[in-house]
Amino acid sequence: MELEFTKDETAFRDEVRNFIETEMPKDVAFKMAHDRELEKEDFIKVHRKLYEKGWATAHWPKEYGGADWTPVQRHIFGEEMQRASLPMPLEFNANMVGPVIAHFGSKEQKEKFLQPTASLEIWWGQGFSEPGAGSDLASLKTTAVRDGNEYIINGQKTWTTLGHFADWIFCLVRTDPTAKKQKGISFILVDMKTPGIEVRPIITVEGNHEVNEVFFDNVRVPAENLVGEENRGWDYAKFLLSNERFGIAKIGVAKQRMQRIKSYAKTPDANGEKLWDDAVFRARFLQTAADIKALEITQLRILAKQQGHDSDAPDPLTSMLKIKGSELQQATTELLLEVAGKDSESPQIREIYKSGNQDFEWLDAVASSYFNNRKLSIYGGSNEIQHNILSKAIMGF
Amino acid sequence: MNFDLNSEQIQIQDSFARFFADGAKSHSRALKNSSKNIRELSHAAAEMGILAMLFSEENGGLYSSPTETMIAMEEVGKSLCNIPLAETAYACRILDKADDFAGKDELIASIISGEKTISIAFDEFNNRSNGAIVKTNENNGVINGVKTNANFENDYFLVNAQMTGGKIGIFLIANDAKGLNINKFMTHDTSAKCDLYFENVGAVKICNDDNVVEYAKDFAIIALCYEAIGMMRMITNLTSEYLKTRNQFGVPLSSFQVLQHRAVDMLIETEQALSIAIYASLLLDNDDIEARKIAVSNAKLRVNNAAKFVSQQAVQLHGGIGMTDEYIGAHYFKRLTLFCNMMGDNYFHLNRLNLEKDILEI
């Protein structure tokens, strides 16, 4: 048993930390650290810097720009990015479509897409969920019908995160309506400028535009844009989702938020009183901190296992990270909202900080972050789906 | 970073698993008379080398890290053996780092061999602060006061007492010392406990270093946590097996999603408890005392919460059977419930964390 990183791993962590400190845009980190919405340019600024360093796609096969990182290195990179309040390389590009094209794409697709995908010259959207296909993704209905050298796509995708920034979208479409559920699905790449595509915003509870509906009305796509074999799309989607396991618990984000909660709670109010001095509040804070510490070690245990076996197979224990990780993220946004109290809604306070008083600046996005983060236990396979996975894989029910 | 046991530790685990599983046949807490022959089990456990692992080489022991003891404790928990090993470990870790006193080497040798047994008597009645206030006092080598909740069936007790000038000292007292009266009782988990009444009892001071005592306590807390984790592991398995075999409405209970998810939550709690106990165990011998204390209190807090949830759900998912004295799971439930109050409840550990500077830095 050994808790410490190796010498090499520590050196790597220092390298990452140093790079972040010297090269990363401070304004983006400030926004993220205060739970504010990022602009398209913010994502691009961070991603490009990482791309130039060779770290945006470090986990890709080496011949396509990968850096041959161990699972522990990948973990360290994620932790350091979260610790510094920076967005990870755009996941649709780096973790989803990129690895799929690298593993299953044609030579032409690799040549055309991999480099601009890695550099974020192409911004990808994810076209998986549909109004009738959420947790039950395989029941998707969007069709692609072969017509000569083209597919004609009809249907609707939804929850397309940052789809309004997307240049291209990778979609799961039904190519064989007679086959059983998972069997008739294909994986296809679509240029968002193609006639017949319409993107409509979905405004989420906090009032922001983050997700979209994407409508396909007789959208003609060259047949060469189909990835791999027709009707094998479900396999590629499963491969893609196995890449999601890294950093799913977002411990670094939770820890960073706990630090903020603590420092705000220690700030005296108008009466000179601090929430930090309230024993009930502090007990809740300490309980949450203990839970986060436990999850951090759970994550390291899973990581150490992967490092030892170097396997790409999804570990069902990752479902545990998803469940507890999202719960703890939500617990921290809830604590933050409690620290802010009713002031988080006060227009008066907003006026004060807009006039340059930074003492109250942090209140800005506290409530919207709480609202928005309820998504964590819903997306990426809802926590109930994760319970089903553990129930089957570990408990043997 | 590595969380695997080494090959020697795996061997230890295998032999303890067999030893305690076998011991449970006659020493399980589910058996009414299991407290009657604790000495027999303790002696056999010592012969297995369990107590040698608590003493350093210079004292004739085999101590290498806390992990070996934690492995044994997890097996104690799984088997539900009635053996107060965490309390013994508490006493042994103090003794290992104690001052020199006449007969120390012989005493340690007799404990390692299992010939003699030792435990702690630190608790005092109506003392919510879990030992922070000590009313038992020592004056010129003579002890007066009352201790409660000590484990019975021991040849020696380590007793803490306030010395002239207010400092706390640790004193060695034999169970047949003149002026010592012992009142035995049994707790819900069939532990053999006792109250100790000291009336001018002569005693030998063996240690007055608070750091040694606090270290030994932290060691014992994590040992106890591992026992709890073994128990949680066991009742989670028992529950999942029960759900698979019990039929209602013509189908196994395990086909109901609400029960599946609850069982998964038991698993998650057990794994979270294990993670934080591993972390604390790896910091026990750390030079950074503050980091150790935070890790240990975090662990007890988290394992307490898990113990409550897992044991309550085990009873719930077993239905009426879980309520019966005949069912073994009910005895795990009782032991896990008492565990939460042992060596610091949540209030104690929250208060201890409150005193620390910055728990998130570590």
Side-chain angles (χ1 to χ4, degrees), chain A residues 1-2 4 259 262 282 287 289-291 293-295 297-298 301 384 387-388 391 395-397, chain B residues 1-2 4 244 254 257 260-261 264-265 271-272 274-276 279 298 302 305 354 358-361:
Chain A
M1 290 236 194
E2 175 60 58
E4 304 296 322
Q259 292 289 11
K262 187 170 168 179
R282 223 164 45 230
Q287 294 269 16
D291 223 6
K293 190 64 186 178
L295 188 65
I297 305 300
T298 302
R301 284 169 59 206
E384 288 68 28
H387 274 84
N388 287 351
S391 160
M395 308 302 280
F397 292 147
Chain B
M1 197 184 58
N2 166 25
D4 293 336
K244 284 174 195 167
S254 63
Q257 197 180 42
Q260 293 174 353
H261 287 196
V264 165
D265 285 334
E271 292 297 341
Q272 284 280 84
L274 177 59
S275 290
I276 203 148
Y279 178 68
N298 263 337
R302 191 63 190 78
N305 294 345
N354 266 333
D358 191 347
I359 69 152
L360 288 167
E361 287 304 307

Side-chain angles (χ1 to χ4, degrees), chain A residues 1-6 9 72 75 255 258-259 262 266 276 279 282-287 289-305 317 319-320 323-324 327-328 383-388 390-392 394-397, chain B residues 1-6 9 67 226 233 236 239-241 243-244 254 257 259-276 278-279 281-283 286 298-299 301-302 305 346 349-351 353-354 357-362:
Chain A
M1 290 236 194
E2 175 60 58
L3 201 57
E4 304 296 322
F5 289 132
T6 64
E9 287 162 353
V72 171
H75 162 79
K255 278 164 108 180
M258 288 294 274
Q259 292 289 11
K262 187 170 168 179
K266 282 183 168 179
W276 186 253
R282 223 164 45 230
R284 267 164 52 68
F285 181 89
L286 292 168
Q287 294 269 16
D291 223 6
I292 291 172
K293 190 64 186 178
L295 188 65
E296 186 182 355
I297 305 300
T298 302
Q299 175 168 273
L300 293 178
R301 284 169 59 206
I302 293 171
L303 192 65
K305 216 169 91 186
L317 288 176
S319 295
M320 207 178 280
I323 293 168
K324 285 308 293 182
E327 283 176 1
L328 288 172
N383 284 15
E384 288 68 28
I385 290 290
Q386 306 299 335
H387 274 84
N388 287 351
L390 287 168
S391 160
K392 211 167 154 183
I394 311 265
M395 308 302 280
F397 292 147
Chain B
M1 197 184 58
N2 166 25
F3 297 97
D4 293 336
L5 301 177
N6 63 34
Q9 289 166 338
T67 303
Y226 268 84
R233 180 80 68 205
T236 301
T239 304
S240 106
E241 286 313 308
L243 294 178
K244 284 174 195 167
S254 63
Q257 197 180 42
L259 305 182
Q260 293 174 353
H261 287 196
R262 198 79 58 76
V264 165
D265 285 334
M266 292 169 71
L267 172 81
I268 293 175
E269 283 297 296
T270 305
E271 292 297 341
Q272 284 280 84
L274 177 59
S275 290
I276 203 148
I278 289 174
Y279 178 68
S281 77
L282 294 175
L283 286 192
N286 200 307
N298 263 337
L301 199 61
R302 191 63 190 78
N305 294 345
N346 277 9
H349 286 287
L350 280 168
N351 277 317
L353 287 167
N354 266 333
K357 280 193 296 249
D358 191 347
I359 69 152
L360 288 167
E361 287 304 307
I362 295 159

